[in-house]
Amino acid sequence: MAGKRKAKSTKQKESMGPSKWRLQHGGFSDPIRDADPETGSPVQHRRAVDTLGMMLANGTITQQMHDAGGYFRALFRSAALDGMSKSVLVRLPGQTADTLSDHHMDARRKIGAALDALGGHDSAAGSCAWHVIGLEMSVREWAMRQGWGGRPVAPPQAQGMLVATLSVLAGHFGLVPRKRAA
């Protein structure tokens, strides 16, 4: 009986935190208990390592590159491209659940324009932006699993691709002044 109780409490603890897959990548802080500002109900926050924040702190990227990455990530989430499905709890008769608002469509257009500036979705920079910045995959994971053109990329080269991607995005979003040709 004690074995069942222990197994149940272990499963309950696992379901409260990040999955085993996510934990193997490390970089989580201890949970912080807080109250939800809107409802007041207790919530538990965990912080994951922010790749762009670490690169900024290390001096690998500039503040403009960091801001461009943050803007792309925010657009990606607004465009609902992260693969997480949302369901409306209260449904009205005659309406579909998968309609996108003008806000979503505008964000998708901006993501499309940014990917075009990077050379398209299938380019090295486009793939890096989509997976590392948008889907928040680690640089190492993207390099080994996805890479470019289905081929793995060495992690140092992948980090260079991310830096180049952020530089182009900073220019595309107007965060760096453009130099005029003489």
Side-chain angles (χ1 to χ4, degrees), residues 14-157:
E14 287 176 1
S15 68
M16 290 172 54
S19 67
K20 285 182 184 179
W21 177 85
R22 183 61 182 99
L23 286 173
Q24 78 184 358
H25 298 287
F28 271 98
S29 67
D30 291 330
I32 301 167
R33 294 187 181 270
D34 200 3
D36 184 7
E38 292 180 11
T39 63
S41 49
V43 293
Q44 186 170 289
H45 298 283
R46 291 181 187 266
R47 293 209 137 187
V49 173
D50 179 24
T51 302
L52 299 180
M54 283 180 21
M55 290 175 78
L56 179 64
N58 292 339
T60 310
I61 61 173
T62 65
Q63 183 65 48
Q64 292 88 351
M65 292 174 175
H66 179 270
D67 294 346
Y71 184 64
F72 184 89
R73 183 180 295 153
L75 281 174
F76 200 86
R77 288 182 186 154
S78 294
L81 295 171
D82 56 5
M84 296 183 70
S85 60
K86 301 171 192 147
S87 179
V88 180
L89 297 176
V90 179
R91 297 194 178 176
L92 299 173
Q95 291 190 345
T96 61
D98 48 303
T99 57
L100 292 175
S101 69
D102 290 339
H103 178 73
H104 289 97
M105 293 306 295
D106 187 45
R108 286 185 177 203
R109 282 186 204 95
K110 288 178 181 177
I111 288 289
L115 289 174
D116 286 344
L118 292 169
H121 187 274
D122 291 336
S123 69
S127 176
C128 184
W130 186 274
H131 291 93
V132 177
I133 302 171
L135 294 176
E136 299 183 55
M137 190 180 281
S138 75
V139 176
R140 179 177 295 270
E141 184 181 7
W142 170 73
M144 301 310 275
R145 284 186 173 196
Q146 183 68 31
W148 176 40
R151 294 179 302 251
V153 175
Q157 282 81 15

Side-chain angles (χ1 to χ4, degrees), residues 65 68 114 117-119 125 163-173 176:
M65 292 174 175
L118 292 169
V163 171
T165 299
L166 291 169
S167 178
V168 172
L169 285 176
H172 174 72
F173 292 134
V176 229

